[in-house]
Amino acid sequence: MSTVVLRGFGWRHAGRRAWAVRDVDLRIEHGERVLLLGPSGAGKSTLLAALAGLLPDDSGEQAGTVEIDGRSPADARDHVGIVFQDPQTQLVMARSGDDVAFGLENRGVPAGTIWPRVSDALDRVGFPYPITRSTAALSGGEAQRLALAGVLALRPGLLLLDEPTANLDPVGAELVRDAITRARADDTTLILVEHRVAEALPLVDRVVVLEAGGGIRADGAPEMVFAAYGDRLADEGVWVPGFRVPALKSPAAAGNEVLRATEVSVANRLSGVSIGVGEGEVLAVTGPNGAGKSTLALVLGGLLAPSGGQVSAFGDPKPPHKWRAATLTTRIGSVFQNPEHQFVTSRVADELAVGPRRTGRTPAQIKEIVDSLLDRLRLTKLAAANPYTLSGGEARRLSVATALATAPRLLVLDEPTFGQDRRTWIELVTLLATLRDEGHAVVAVTHDDDFVQTLADRTFPLGSSRPGEPLPRRRRS
Amino acid sequence: MRLLPLGLFDKVKLGGTPMATNPNRWRTIDIVIASIIAVAFGVIFWAWGLLWNGPADAIPLPGRAVLYGMWLVPAVLGALIVRKPGAAFYTLTLASLVSVAIGTSWGWTLVVQGPLEALGAEVVFAAFAYKRYNLPTALLAGTAAGIVAAVYDAVVWYPETSWTSMRLPYIAITAVSALVIAGLGSVLLVRALAQTGVLDRFAAGRSRALV
Amino acid sequence: MTTFASPPVTNPSALLARRNPVAKLAAALLFSLPLLATLDPLTPAIALVVELTLLPLFGLRHAVLAKQVWPLLLAATGVLMTMVLFAADRSGTVLVGLGPFDVTTGVLNSALGLILRLFAIALPGVIVFATTDPTDLADALVQNAKAPARFAIGALAAFRLLPLLGAEWQMLTLARRARGVDTGVRGFPATAFALLVGALRRGTRLAVAMDARGFDSGVPRTYARRQVFTRADVALMAGAIGLAALILGTTITLGLFRSII
Ligand SMILES: Nc1ncnc2c1ncn2[C@@H]1O[C@H](COP(=O)(O)OP(=O)(O)OP(=O)(O)O)[C@@H](O)[C@H]1O
Ligand SMILES: Nc1ncnc2c1ncn2[C@@H]1O[C@H](COP(=O)(O)OP(=O)(O)OP(=O)(O)O)[C@@H](O)[C@H]1O
Ligand SMILES: [Mg+2]
Ligand SMILES: [Mg+2]
């Protein structure tokens, strides 16, 4: 039930020189369904925050105006629902049911109708647990469903979704898209941010592409936009449907095994997995939400001691989790699922310098490593920024770069490509392929099918079927 | 029936719309950040209590009171960050409630003692009309809270001990400890926190260079 | 660490555990605070007996209680030390001659009084918090004690992060190790600071998330979970006052009551 009007809108975050979004003139009519696209860092999340009235005056500088049904976003807040890029930060209460009820209570919904609306919303997103389930015990994908339920229960006139399926397994993503489709029936205005266009297209009837430097690049019905600007948009980083990414399979067979895990398990999180990875190969670990992929990554990365089984690597008689930290970083580099869990400094450039400094590089070498990584992953302009203020995609690239900085022989990456636009995705994947061709080993946990198709030399499905030895090498036909 | 003196904050609310720009009205972020400081210090209190009654038992009282200042940090820290009326009171009161909830060796009389100490610090900030949040005010607020705490202890927990060899030295040492740990310590901690960018939405954290 | 932060290990349907959290809190305060005024060992001793007798009505197992109570033992030894070193009144028979630190029956009597009082006062608090869910407490504070909703819910939301801090600590240690920073005793202050920074950062986002769902919208809140304050709750509070009066009355009539001032 909401009409959105932006006139010359811009926002500059406090502490930044550059504008996050700028010169946006846009009118979205009541009931329209819009897919908002744009390269990583173009300001999509910032724009959604502005529409939800979540950019307080003291956190930056605004240009132009935003109106929702003729009112300022702060006043229209009770008609707007937003799901953030990182759902874990969206949960407020200790029990799942209470969390969905939280928004309803705040809006003064009569007590008698709250619980029916809560269970209806939970059903719509396929939340599998009772309402008493602790919100601290949910996996990434489950938290995303709960956050969406919390917003759908409010029956907002304007629904804002920021990459709502980024952390979901295919089944979960399908369910969430279903839930969104059903929310459409309630004649809601929808603005959806999603890098993976193909999956989002059935949900929308209009595409708006933000330009990185400001303004709007393209706007219109999906077919029209992609027919007219497809090539250029693909170059600029939009995942235009139909544009394939190049295959980067290893030309050679895997070399010597660098790491072998035998029947490793972690109490309640992972049971009996045997896996090995050799020089010059990329091994993809896939599987549903909660299967134990991240746990396995921590074990292989020498960060978590398995409660059963053995891990041996690099011919060292000691298992990786007993190595000294400085030894570990030169041999195995880890990237965590949540990039922010990994940051230990308050500047992007310092973040990249930590590893090389620990391994005894000279200042000149460190500078060279840092500069080249910043450049390759398009983070140069952000060298002095605080890692915690980066956009979702920027933070992901930085966290991958920190692991690359010490050039370890084995890389263990947890969801290395989520939230990337096409251009940075190719950049990342090419970087990994180069390392692989130089003989480094890569283990990547991923939900990203393109990643598997493009780069993975072998796939190890966890959870769904019984875990055992990896499937035979998968070839693209 | 009103159990917690939280009612103080009712008066802070203006009658009109919540968006009214009353500088004394607590924003959501003020409430949440003060609460989180309180929760974090509730845990620190718990650990400090184990230290006080465990290893630190080797230092006999009143000397052990050099450690006391830690119990007063949230009052000063909360006020320095939030800079609103009631910040010192709310933060330390909640911190002592949390420490009671997770179990302290003093039992839950802290539910009474916490707010009293907190008022000691609150009065100092109020005396400066909630306009000064510099080092001297912080030192004064820390000391005031420390004196209230020590006098309470002397009366309630150490009755029947000698004033000259125990209670007066105890109060003096506590006051100095509070000045250093709660007063100076909070100022330094706010500075360090501001560097990390987490206080960007507070007056205490602005004024960093543009990138 | 605590039952308040983790799922209750108690029998939630026990007669008194079911009472309104605010009533329980008030009753515990009303019962234990008068004890602050006493110095003699008898008054807290009777109170302790009463408390332990009522314990089954709260559905609390003794094992749970013991886990919560052990820090009190530490405090008790501290009290004993202090009294031996600094007691002003050293009357009575000398039991152990230590010159200025003579341990006399008078000293032991005072110490016993203080220690028993410590336990008698602390126990009701332990019982209440062990049998109360934090969400229920916040709801009751708002609905029955008229605490300001924004502060009560804000505090509750922050309190939810408490069990997460442990997981966060583990994650930080892992992160530092992955980046080549050894974590041990020397890394402790850095990790602790990082934890505080992380908690505050979460707080900033939590505040935004709460605002996004209309927390500060000015609309009067409704309550999905009703907390009722019944006659039984009033009776619980009245019972607490009655018992406290009875205990004090007994020792006063017996002439054994010694007040703090
Ligand atoms: N809180 C903040 N403080 C300072 N700068 C910020 C903040 N949030 C975002 N930015 C910056 O603003 C720009 C736009 O960020 P935004 O998160 O809106 O991008 P995005 O289009 O959502 O990107 P992505 O696809 O990677 O999520 C980025 O350069 C980012 O670094
Ligand atoms: N720190 C922890 N303590 C206890 N249980 C945990 C912890 N972390 C994860 N789990 C549980 O262990 C199981 C495996 O979790 P893990 O994070 O490894 O899954 P995942 O395969 O990475 O899932 P996703 O695809 O959602 O990221 C899940 O059921 C999860 O709830
Ligand atoms: Mg984004
Ligand atoms: Mg995972």
Side-chain angles (χ1 to χ4, degrees), chain B residues 145-157:
Chain B
I147 291 175
V148 174
V151 169
Y152 178 95
D153 282 348
V155 174
V156 173
W157 291 121

mmCIF file with all atom_site columns, all heavy atoms in Angstrom, chain B residues 145-157:
data_model
loop_
_atom_site.group_PDB
_atom_site.id
_atom_site.type_symbol
_atom_site.label_atom_id
_atom_site.label_alt_id
_atom_site.label_comp_id
_atom_site.label_asym_id
_atom_site.label_entity_id
_atom_site.label_seq_id
_atom_site.pdbx_PDB_ins_code
_atom_site.Cartn_x
_atom_site.Cartn_y
_atom_site.Cartn_z
_atom_site.occupancy
_atom_site.B_iso_or_equiv
_atom_site.pdbx_formal_charge
_atom_site.auth_seq_id
_atom_site.auth_comp_id
_atom_site.auth_asym_id
_atom_site.auth_atom_id
_atom_site.pdbx_PDB_model_num
ATOM 1  N N   . ALA B 1 145 ? 31.178 7.601  44.088 1.00 0.00 ? 145 ALA B N   1
ATOM 2  C CA  . ALA B 1 145 ? 30.583 6.266  44.130 1.00 0.00 ? 145 ALA B CA  1
ATOM 3  C C   . ALA B 1 145 ? 31.362 5.371  45.096 1.00 0.00 ? 145 ALA B C   1
ATOM 4  O O   . ALA B 1 145 ? 30.790 4.608  45.876 1.00 0.00 ? 145 ALA B O   1
ATOM 5  C CB  . ALA B 1 145 ? 30.575 5.656  42.731 1.00 0.00 ? 145 ALA B CB  1
ATOM 6  N N   . GLY B 1 146 ? 32.686 5.494  45.072 1.00 0.00 ? 146 GLY B N   1
ATOM 7  C CA  . GLY B 1 146 ? 33.526 4.676  45.934 1.00 0.00 ? 146 GLY B CA  1
ATOM 8  C C   . GLY B 1 146 ? 33.260 4.954  47.407 1.00 0.00 ? 146 GLY B C   1
ATOM 9  O O   . GLY B 1 146 ? 33.196 4.022  48.222 1.00 0.00 ? 146 GLY B O   1
ATOM 10 N N   . ILE B 1 147 ? 33.091 6.223  47.742 1.00 0.00 ? 147 ILE B N   1
ATOM 11 C CA  . ILE B 1 147 ? 32.866 6.553  49.153 1.00 0.00 ? 147 ILE B CA  1
ATOM 12 C C   . ILE B 1 147 ? 31.522 5.989  49.624 1.00 0.00 ? 147 ILE B C   1
ATOM 13 O O   . ILE B 1 147 ? 31.428 5.385  50.691 1.00 0.00 ? 147 ILE B O   1
ATOM 14 C CB  . ILE B 1 147 ? 32.942 8.087  49.352 1.00 0.00 ? 147 ILE B CB  1
ATOM 15 C CG1 . ILE B 1 147 ? 34.396 8.519  49.143 1.00 0.00 ? 147 ILE B CG1 1
ATOM 16 C CG2 . ILE B 1 147 ? 32.450 8.473  50.735 1.00 0.00 ? 147 ILE B CG2 1
ATOM 17 C CD1 . ILE B 1 147 ? 34.615 10.011 49.181 1.00 0.00 ? 147 ILE B CD1 1
ATOM 18 N N   . VAL B 1 148 ? 30.491 6.159  48.783 1.00 0.00 ? 148 VAL B N   1
ATOM 19 C CA  . VAL B 1 148 ? 29.186 5.604  49.162 1.00 0.00 ? 148 VAL B CA  1
ATOM 20 C C   . VAL B 1 148 ? 29.312 4.095  49.395 1.00 0.00 ? 148 VAL B C   1
ATOM 21 O O   . VAL B 1 148 ? 28.840 3.557  50.407 1.00 0.00 ? 148 VAL B O   1
ATOM 22 C CB  . VAL B 1 148 ? 28.130 5.872  48.067 1.00 0.00 ? 148 VAL B CB  1
ATOM 23 C CG1 . VAL B 1 148 ? 26.824 5.172  48.405 1.00 0.00 ? 148 VAL B CG1 1
ATOM 24 C CG2 . VAL B 1 148 ? 27.907 7.351  47.895 1.00 0.00 ? 148 VAL B CG2 1
ATOM 25 N N   . ALA B 1 149 ? 29.978 3.420  48.462 1.00 0.00 ? 149 ALA B N   1
ATOM 26 C CA  . ALA B 1 149 ? 30.105 1.966  48.553 1.00 0.00 ? 149 ALA B CA  1
ATOM 27 C C   . ALA B 1 149 ? 30.836 1.558  49.829 1.00 0.00 ? 149 ALA B C   1
ATOM 28 O O   . ALA B 1 149 ? 30.413 0.645  50.550 1.00 0.00 ? 149 ALA B O   1
ATOM 29 C CB  . ALA B 1 149 ? 30.850 1.433  47.328 1.00 0.00 ? 149 ALA B CB  1
ATOM 30 N N   . ALA B 1 150 ? 31.929 2.269  50.136 1.00 0.00 ? 150 ALA B N   1
ATOM 31 C CA  . ALA B 1 150 ? 32.747 1.878  51.278 1.00 0.00 ? 150 ALA B CA  1
ATOM 32 C C   . ALA B 1 150 ? 32.026 2.150  52.595 1.00 0.00 ? 150 ALA B C   1
ATOM 33 O O   . ALA B 1 150 ? 32.110 1.356  53.546 1.00 0.00 ? 150 ALA B O   1
ATOM 34 C CB  . ALA B 1 150 ? 34.079 2.620  51.239 1.00 0.00 ? 150 ALA B CB  1
ATOM 35 N N   . VAL B 1 151 ? 31.307 3.262  52.656 1.00 0.00 ? 151 VAL B N   1
ATOM 36 C CA  . VAL B 1 151 ? 30.580 3.557  53.893 1.00 0.00 ? 151 VAL B CA  1
ATOM 37 C C   . VAL B 1 151 ? 29.502 2.502  54.115 1.00 0.00 ? 151 VAL B C   1
ATOM 38 O O   . VAL B 1 151 ? 29.312 1.988  55.232 1.00 0.00 ? 151 VAL B O   1
ATOM 39 C CB  . VAL B 1 151 ? 29.967 4.970  53.837 1.00 0.00 ? 151 VAL B CB  1
ATOM 40 C CG1 . VAL B 1 151 ? 29.010 5.187  54.981 1.00 0.00 ? 151 VAL B CG1 1
ATOM 41 C CG2 . VAL B 1 151 ? 31.070 6.018  53.851 1.00 0.00 ? 151 VAL B CG2 1
ATOM 42 N N   . TYR B 1 152 ? 28.814 2.137  53.030 1.00 0.00 ? 152 TYR B N   1
ATOM 43 C CA  . TYR B 1 152 ? 27.798 1.087  53.138 1.00 0.00 ? 152 TYR B CA  1
ATOM 44 C C   . TYR B 1 152 ? 28.427 -0.202 53.676 1.00 0.00 ? 152 TYR B C   1
ATOM 45 O O   . TYR B 1 152 ? 27.929 -0.813 54.609 1.00 0.00 ? 152 TYR B O   1
ATOM 46 C CB  . TYR B 1 152 ? 27.178 0.852  51.770 1.00 0.00 ? 152 TYR B CB  1
ATOM 47 C CG  . TYR B 1 152 ? 26.141 -0.258 51.725 1.00 0.00 ? 152 TYR B CG  1
ATOM 48 C CD1 . TYR B 1 152 ? 24.773 0.031  51.846 1.00 0.00 ? 152 TYR B CD1 1
ATOM 49 C CD2 . TYR B 1 152 ? 26.522 -1.583 51.552 1.00 0.00 ? 152 TYR B CD2 1
ATOM 50 C CE1 . TYR B 1 152 ? 23.836 -0.987 51.796 1.00 0.00 ? 152 TYR B CE1 1
ATOM 51 C CE2 . TYR B 1 152 ? 25.579 -2.598 51.503 1.00 0.00 ? 152 TYR B CE2 1
ATOM 52 C CZ  . TYR B 1 152 ? 24.244 -2.301 51.624 1.00 0.00 ? 152 TYR B CZ  1
ATOM 53 O OH  . TYR B 1 152 ? 23.310 -3.306 51.577 1.00 0.00 ? 152 TYR B OH  1
ATOM 54 N N   . ASP B 1 153 ? 29.548 -0.594 53.080 1.00 0.00 ? 153 ASP B N   1
ATOM 55 C CA  . ASP B 1 153 ? 30.235 -1.812 53.538 1.00 0.00 ? 153 ASP B CA  1
ATOM 56 C C   . ASP B 1 153 ? 30.606 -1.719 55.001 1.00 0.00 ? 153 ASP B C   1
ATOM 57 O O   . ASP B 1 153 ? 30.417 -2.658 55.777 1.00 0.00 ? 153 ASP B O   1
ATOM 58 C CB  . ASP B 1 153 ? 31.529 -2.021 52.738 1.00 0.00 ? 153 ASP B CB  1
ATOM 59 C CG  . ASP B 1 153 ? 31.260 -2.594 51.370 1.00 0.00 ? 153 ASP B CG  1
ATOM 60 O OD1 . ASP B 1 153 ? 30.118 -3.041 51.140 1.00 0.00 ? 153 ASP B OD1 1
ATOM 61 O OD2 . ASP B 1 153 ? 32.182 -2.592 50.543 1.00 0.00 ? 153 ASP B OD2 1
ATOM 62 N N   . ALA B 1 154 ? 31.176 -0.568 55.376 1.00 0.00 ? 154 ALA B N   1
ATOM 63 C CA  . ALA B 1 154 ? 31.663 -0.404 56.743 1.00 0.00 ? 154 ALA B CA  1
ATOM 64 C C   . ALA B 1 154 ? 30.525 -0.589 57.741 1.00 0.00 ? 154 ALA B C   1
ATOM 65 O O   . ALA B 1 154 ? 30.702 -1.186 58.799 1.00 0.00 ? 154 ALA B O   1
ATOM 66 C CB  . ALA B 1 154 ? 32.307 0.967  56.903 1.00 0.00 ? 154 ALA B CB  1
ATOM 67 N N   . VAL B 1 155 ? 29.343 -0.079 57.367 1.00 0.00 ? 155 VAL B N   1
ATOM 68 C CA  . VAL B 1 155 ? 28.224 -0.179 58.296 1.00 0.00 ? 155 VAL B CA  1
ATOM 69 C C   . VAL B 1 155 ? 27.588 -1.570 58.243 1.00 0.00 ? 155 VAL B C   1
ATOM 70 O O   . VAL B 1 155 ? 27.318 -2.188 59.274 1.00 0.00 ? 155 VAL B O   1
ATOM 71 C CB  . VAL B 1 155 ? 27.162 0.895  57.977 1.00 0.00 ? 155 VAL B CB  1
ATOM 72 C CG1 . VAL B 1 155 ? 25.931 0.699  58.832 1.00 0.00 ? 155 VAL B CG1 1
ATOM 73 C CG2 . VAL B 1 155 ? 27.756 2.274  58.173 1.00 0.00 ? 155 VAL B CG2 1
ATOM 74 N N   . VAL B 1 156 ? 27.386 -2.071 57.027 1.00 0.00 ? 156 VAL B N   1
ATOM 75 C CA  . VAL B 1 156 ? 26.602 -3.297 56.906 1.00 0.00 ? 156 VAL B CA  1
ATOM 76 C C   . VAL B 1 156 ? 27.460 -4.552 57.038 1.00 0.00 ? 156 VAL B C   1
ATOM 77 O O   . VAL B 1 156 ? 27.067 -5.517 57.691 1.00 0.00 ? 156 VAL B O   1
ATOM 78 C CB  . VAL B 1 156 ? 25.848 -3.310 55.563 1.00 0.00 ? 156 VAL B CB  1
ATOM 79 C CG1 . VAL B 1 156 ? 25.148 -4.645 55.336 1.00 0.00 ? 156 VAL B CG1 1
ATOM 80 C CG2 . VAL B 1 156 ? 24.824 -2.191 55.547 1.00 0.00 ? 156 VAL B CG2 1
ATOM 81 N N   . TRP B 1 157 ? 28.617 -4.550 56.413 1.00 0.00 ? 157 TRP B N   1
ATOM 82 C CA  . TRP B 1 157 ? 29.402 -5.786 56.371 1.00 0.00 ? 157 TRP B CA  1
ATOM 83 C C   . TRP B 1 157 ? 30.510 -5.853 57.403 1.00 0.00 ? 157 TRP B C   1
ATOM 84 O O   . TRP B 1 157 ? 30.975 -6.918 57.748 1.00 0.00 ? 157 TRP B O   1
ATOM 85 C CB  . TRP B 1 157 ? 30.005 -6.013 54.983 1.00 0.00 ? 157 TRP B CB  1
ATOM 86 C CG  . TRP B 1 157 ? 28.971 -6.326 53.948 1.00 0.00 ? 157 TRP B CG  1
ATOM 87 C CD1 . TRP B 1 157 ? 28.733 -5.626 52.818 1.00 0.00 ? 157 TRP B CD1 1
ATOM 88 C CD2 . TRP B 1 157 ? 28.027 -7.394 53.972 1.00 0.00 ? 157 TRP B CD2 1
ATOM 89 N NE1 . TRP B 1 157 ? 27.693 -6.186 52.122 1.00 0.00 ? 157 TRP B NE1 1
ATOM 90 C CE2 . TRP B 1 157 ? 27.237 -7.276 52.814 1.00 0.00 ? 157 TRP B CE2 1
ATOM 91 C CE3 . TRP B 1 157 ? 27.752 -8.426 54.871 1.00 0.00 ? 157 TRP B CE3 1
ATOM 92 C CZ2 . TRP B 1 157 ? 26.207 -8.162 52.506 1.00 0.00 ? 157 TRP B CZ2 1
ATOM 93 C CZ3 . TRP B 1 157 ? 26.730 -9.306 54.570 1.00 0.00 ? 157 TRP B CZ3 1
ATOM 94 C CH2 . TRP B 1 157 ? 25.967 -9.160 53.405 1.00 0.00 ? 157 TRP B CH2 1
#
